[in-house]
Every structure is written in structure tokens, then in C-alpha cells.
Amino acid sequence: MTEEPLDRCRRLAAHHLWGFLSALRRSGVGPAPPKQADFLRAIAGSAPRDITALYWYARITLLDSVADLATFDQVFDDWFRRGDTEAVISPPPGDESDVQAPQGGDDGELPPQDAAQGDGVEASALTTTGRRAFGRSDSRQRDLMRSLQAEWPARLPTIPSRRRRPARFGRRLDMRLVWRQARRNGGEILQLRWTARPPRIRRLLLLVDVSGSLKQHTPELLRLAHTAIHGAPTRTEVFTFGTRLTRVTAALSCAQADRALDAVSHEVLDADGGTAIGAALEQFLSNPRFLALARGALVIVLSDGLERGDPTAMVRSTERLSRLAHRLIWWSPLACSPTYRPITRGMADQLRSLDHLGGVRDLETGLAEIRSIPAVVTGPRRAAARRRPDPARTGTRT
């Protein structure tokens, strides 16, 4: 039985695509399996009309770092721009997808709407479902984690507890204890007893971005969250978000950090995938149980803020989160650079809702930012915009 031309075309295309992915792995680019699945899923859902469209499919879904761009372009040229592969990649007549593929310009570049500065072009909207291993902790990381665990309770803000305790001094008498002692002394009050409300640590809420744009920082950020849970164990909650929201407090409760991160890898299925910050924050705020965790808490978001598409949902959710929280702090790996400016539309618009915008990319920078928390807590609300230039005024915002 002879093979149909259409089936042969599809078989050759699949073989060629798998060969391209194998060549990327051999060259050192090595996209993760979830990213390879995204690439193939994107082609199956909306077949590219030409090599330029295929290039952008591959670059957006497979490339992790700009440093690998030259190698990626070389491998792509070797596999798709030399020889007649157009007939293999293009969809057969009469089998076009209803979903339109992204179209490039005459020069092979993305349209201005997608490539303009401030649009979060490094973020992806594609969803992945897979497990990622976060590696083992070395001796330096373990030493830093012990320091972090000791720093958290000393730097977090406090609030008077609701229950009163006996105290040597205070503003309210412990009448029950005074009366019992007076009965033992024939009705004479020989000593006054007081009660006070001792301070307790405010609730700490961590929202950790695990999307593909933070791939190299995700293990360190999760280790930082692990130290927070064990520094203030009864008052800390941790969530991760990429394209979905996941509560990982229970998984990180294991005392051994590597076992905790291994448990997180089983819970978090969208690691190294797309970015949907606004949708994740809206999901958090729409759940009454989660909403109660943010009310009056110190909320820290660890994300680069590169939202894909319209950032309105992210800005609106951040503003509401700021009203609920005692303080709202945003830690971004990008802010570790002294030349960083929040010029993307999302970060520029939500800067006025933040109490502090700091730079955290690993445990060392996290330790420095934790030590600055008392200054943020005692300072004015929504002061992040005052400490950084407003992109709208400097003319750099797009």
C-alpha cells in the first residue's frame, strides 16, 4: 500500500522538526522539554505560512537567553534556510488553520506592535505542563540560607497580638490576679499586676514568579522563600505563578531545602513556561481564603514584571493588593542593575502602587534586601515612584 502524498509530507516535516530540536541540544542551546512541546503545539495549532513565521515561532518558544541568539540563528539557518524546505513546512492547500499565524514584515522582523519597547517582548503567553528539577544546594548556599533564616524574624514588621499576657508594666491592670492576691492578704492590695499585648510578627506573603524569563533565578528565589517559611513558620505563605497560581507553602515546609524544592517541582507544573502575572494576581484576589492572607500582611512579589500583552490586569491587581497589604514590596532581578529603569508599560504604571522596588536575583541580593525591610516599613506608603525616576516624565516610556 503506497503512502499518501499528504501523509508523507507531514512525516517529513515532523522528522525535520525533531532533527532541528536535536541540533539545538547538540549546539548547547538545549531548550527544556516543555518548551519543545510548546514549539510543536504552536505549529500544530497554527501552521506557519513561511520560514520567517517559523523562525519567530521557534525563537519565542525555544530561546531562553539572548546570549544564545547567535547559535540559535546559525542552527536555524542550517536546517531551514538552506535548501527547499518551504514545501515541507507550509500547510497543504485546503488545510489551513482558522487561527492566523503571526506575520513578519518584509525585512523578517516582527510587526512594531509586538516588538516595541515596553511591551514585554521577552515574556511568553504559552502554557507549559511539566516538571522541572531545581538542583541541589551547595555549601555556600546552605550557609547563606542559615543567615537568611536568622534575618527574617529580626527584620519583619510586628503588630500587637490580640491576647494579653502578664507584664511588669502596662496600661491595663490584671484585676483578676490583683483580686486573688488581695484575698490571700486579708483584702489588702500589696502589689499591682499588669497585662500587655506582646508584639507578634505580621503575616508574610511571598508571590514568586516561575515563568521562563526567570528560569536562571527560580531555584534561588524558591530557596529564599524556604528560608522565610522556616524563619517565621506560623506567619508565612508562599505562592508561585507563571501561567497559573500554585500554593506551595506545604511543599516548602520540609526542613531540608533540597527535599522541599523537590516537592515544589511536583506541585508547580508551569515552571519555565509563559507569563500571565495579571491573570495570576486576579485569581489570587478572587479567592476569599487567599484574600485574607494578604490583608494587613507584608506582601513581597518576586518577578521581573514582564507581562505579555495588555498589562492592565496586572496594574489593577497590584493596586488592589497594595490597598490590602501593610506594605507591598516588589523584588526584580532586573533591578539589580544600577542602570535599570522600569520603562515597560506594566512596571511604569504600577510603580506608584509599590512601597519599594528592589533587586533580588539570588540569595546574596536577597539578604541585602531583607535587611532594608525595616526602613521600608517605617517609611511613607507608595514611595517606590519617588525613589526612581518616572519614565513618563523622562520621556523614556513607550
Side-chain angles (χ1 to χ4, degrees), residues 48 54 59 68 78 80 129 171 191 193 270 287 294 299 357 361 370 388:
L54 178 65
R59 177 170 169 176
D68 298 330
D78 291 342
F80 295 107
T129 55
R171 304 181 62 179
Q191 186 179 8
R193 298 291 184 175
D270 57 337
N287 190 317
V299 180
L357 174 60
R361 63 188 174 196
I370 290 173
R388 292 185 178 269

Side-chain angles (χ1 to χ4, degrees), residues 10-242:
R10 289 174 174 171
R11 182 177 59 81
L12 290 175
H15 179 75
H16 202 76
L17 291 173
W18 279 114
F20 166 62
L21 294 175
S22 299
L24 283 179
R25 291 194 297 270
R26 291 193 299 269
S27 67
V29 176
K35 287 184 173 293
Q36 298 180 38
D38 287 342
F39 173 59
L40 299 175
R41 191 181 298 114
I43 293 177
S46 178
R49 296 178 180 274
D50 52 30
I51 295 299
T52 300
L54 178 65
Y55 170 80
W56 285 108
Y57 272 42
R59 177 170 169 176
I60 291 173
T61 56
L62 298 176
L63 193 62
D64 290 329
S65 173
V66 179
D68 298 330
L69 181 58
T71 304
F72 175 84
D73 287 345
Q74 181 63 43
V75 174
F76 186 88
D77 290 343
D78 291 342
W79 279 83
F80 295 107
R81 297 191 190 278
R82 295 180 181 179
D84 186 15
T85 59
E86 192 74 30
V88 178
I89 302 301
S90 300
D95 192 32
E96 296 184 358
S97 172
D98 294 335
V99 182
Q100 296 298 321
Q103 297 297 310
D106 295 336
D107 55 354
E109 295 293 328
L110 281 177
Q113 180 180 359
D114 292 337
Q117 185 183 21
D119 285 345
V121 295
E122 295 298 331
S124 170
L126 295 177
T127 302
T128 62
T129 55
R131 178 190 171 195
R132 177 194 172 179
F134 297 109
R136 313 294 294 180
S137 303
D138 54 31
S139 58
R140 183 191 65 86
Q141 290 173 327
R142 288 192 291 269
D143 291 340
L144 284 171
M145 291 175 69
R146 282 191 289 267
S147 300
L148 285 162
Q149 190 169 332
E151 287 287 342
W152 277 111
R155 307 294 179 174
L156 293 177
T158 59
I159 186 175
S161 62
R162 294 184 178 180
R163 293 191 176 185
R164 292 185 171 272
R165 297 290 186 269
R168 296 182 61 184
F169 304 98
R171 304 181 62 179
R172 176 182 290 188
L173 286 171
D174 188 347
M175 297 302 300
R176 181 175 297 178
L177 182 57
V178 170
W179 175 246
R180 285 204 303 265
Q181 290 183 346
R183 290 184 60 184
R184 298 192 191 103
N185 298 318
E188 294 289 337
I189 299 178
L190 302 179
Q191 186 179 8
L192 296 180
R193 298 291 184 175
W194 307 88
T195 62
R197 296 168 60 186
R200 64 171 179 172
I201 297 176
R202 280 187 179 270
R203 188 185 301 278
L204 175 64
L205 173 63
L206 297 177
L207 301 170
V208 183
D209 190 343
V210 295
S211 61
S213 59
L214 288 176
K215 177 180 180 180
Q216 59 180 329
H217 305 296
T218 300
E220 293 279 272
L221 298 182
L222 289 175
R223 288 185 175 92
L224 180 64
H226 179 267
T227 64
I229 285 183
H230 292 275
T234 60
R235 306 288 295 171
T236 303
E237 292 286 342
V238 181
F239 291 79
T240 64
F241 63 89

Side-chain angles (χ1 to χ4, degrees), residues 8 21 34 42 65 102 108 115 169 190 209 217 243 250-251 256 301 314 327 338 345 363 376 380:
R8 180 175 179 274
L21 294 175
S65 173
F169 304 98
L190 302 179
D209 190 343
H217 305 296
T243 55
Q256 215 284 331
V301 182
M314 179 178 71
R327 290 291 190 277
R345 288 205 303 265
L363 295 177
V376 176

